[in-house]
């Protein structure tokens, strides 16, 4: 685990122990940014190619939103290992939800909405390229950087509308809330969020270089 990840989690845990809600939120926002690349890898490892690119981006954004808004209240652990395990569980559930929603949209009939998500998942080896990509994405998260410094540097570089959508996402807003807050259609909100998150990921690679 990165040195910054551990420090940011420690700040959150200290604030939680003190009952300082404002400091908890600040610490948790740093933790969420630290988890950004790791969430991408965990989502990919959960669906193993079952989701297409758009569905993958939806699952990543939903995972970040729920980590930001909900996991802050439900996480009871004290270590990065426990946090990663909780995030992996959350990501897998979201991947299932995204797949179900996609099946409903396409109105496919006959197949179970849980197809491919059985308990024997861990027993079936993924193709080598999928396992390699999941490993690459997971390990990329090891490069920690100070979250607030990164945001201060990166967010002003985003196009204005993308920045607004990304900021709402990082504060826990899901797509319908973003649409309502910014007066956007679903397609526009999705495109701005997807492109903004990709921009942020590219900027993080530059920041960490």
């Amino acid at each position: 685990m990165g040195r910054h990840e551990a420090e940011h989690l420690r700040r959150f845990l200290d604030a939680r122990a003190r009952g300082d809600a404002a400091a908890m939120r600040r610490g948790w926002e740093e933790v969420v940014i630290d988890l950004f690349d790791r969430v991408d890898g965990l989502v990919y490892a959960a669906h193993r190619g079952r989701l297409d690119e758009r569905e993958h981006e939806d699952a990543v954004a939903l995972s970040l939103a729920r980590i930001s808004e909900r996991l802050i209240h439900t996480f009871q652990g004290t270590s990065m290992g426990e946090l990663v395990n909780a995030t992996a569980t959350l990501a897998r559930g979201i991947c299932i939800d995204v797949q179900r929603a996609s099946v409903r949209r396409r109105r496919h009939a006959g197949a179970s909405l849980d197809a491919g998500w059985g308990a024997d998942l861990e027993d079936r080896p993924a193709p080598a390229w999928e396992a390699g990509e999941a490993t690459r994405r997971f390990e990329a998260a090891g490069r920690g950087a100070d979250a607030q410094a990164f945001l201060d540097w990166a967010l002003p570089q985003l196009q204005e509308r993308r920045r607004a959508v990304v900021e709402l996402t990082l504060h826990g807003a899901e797509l319908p809330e973003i649409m309502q807050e910014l007066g956007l259609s679903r397609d526009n909100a999705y495109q701005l969020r997807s492109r903004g998150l990709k921009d942020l990921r590219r900027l993080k690679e530059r920041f960490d270089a």
Side-chain angles (χ1 to χ4, degrees):
M1 302 299 173
R3 175 173 57 85
H4 294 289
E5 287 181 323
E7 174 62 20
H8 296 157
L9 180 61
R10 185 192 64 76
R11 292 177 190 172
F12 165 75
L13 294 173
D14 287 349
R16 186 174 70 181
R18 299 194 308 270
D20 186 339
M24 279 179 62
R25 169 55 66 181
R26 289 194 299 271
W28 192 252
E29 287 175 355
E30 293 177 329
V31 169
V32 171
I33 296 300
D34 290 337
L35 286 172
F36 184 86
D37 286 336
R38 195 182 299 277
V39 168
D40 186 73
L42 290 172
V43 167
Y44 190 89
H47 68 73
R48 295 189 180 185
R50 294 182 184 87
L51 305 182
D52 63 25
E53 182 177 356
R54 175 169 179 163
E55 291 164 347
H56 174 87
E57 294 294 339
D58 270 344
V60 170
L62 282 169
S63 296
L64 287 167
R66 291 184 187 175
I67 290 167
S68 178
E69 192 62 26
R70 301 181 189 178
L71 197 58
I72 183 175
H73 303 297
T74 60
F75 176 63
Q76 298 300 316
T78 59
S79 71
M80 282 302 303
E82 290 171 303
L83 180 58
V84 170
N85 287 338
T87 301
T89 299
L90 179 149
R92 184 171 182 273
I94 287 175
C95 285
I96 294 172
D97 290 343
V98 169
Q99 187 190 46
R100 284 174 169 167
S102 297
V103 170
R104 283 195 293 268
R105 282 198 300 268
R106 292 192 295 264
R107 302 189 179 194
H108 285 177
S112 167
L113 293 178
D114 292 319
W117 296 94
D120 63 339
L121 177 63
E122 298 302 326
D123 298 329
R124 296 196 303 272
W129 72 269
E130 290 185 3
E133 178 66 5
T135 299
R136 184 192 68 77
R137 292 185 182 208
F138 189 84
E139 290 178 349
R143 301 187 299 272
D146 182 81
Q148 193 58 54
F150 168 66
L151 284 179
D152 290 344
W153 174 79
L155 287 175
Q157 299 183 59
L158 299 185
Q159 188 268 345
E160 183 177 358
R161 296 178 75 202
R162 292 182 191 180
R163 174 178 179 173
V165 171
V166 167
E167 287 180 334
L168 286 171
T169 297
L170 294 176
H171 282 84
E174 299 185 11
L175 200 61
E177 298 169 296
I178 294 171
M179 292 164 57
Q180 182 175 7
E181 178 72 19
L182 300 178
L184 299 171
S185 68
R186 177 180 175 81
D187 284 346
N188 283 342
Y190 169 79
Q191 290 175 3
L192 289 167
R193 184 184 65 186
S194 179
R195 292 170 184 171
L197 290 173
K198 288 178 181 177
D199 289 344
L200 201 63
R201 190 178 301 122
R202 284 192 293 267
L203 288 167
K204 189 161 193 308
E205 289 176 358
R206 287 172 51 194
F207 187 81
D208 288 339

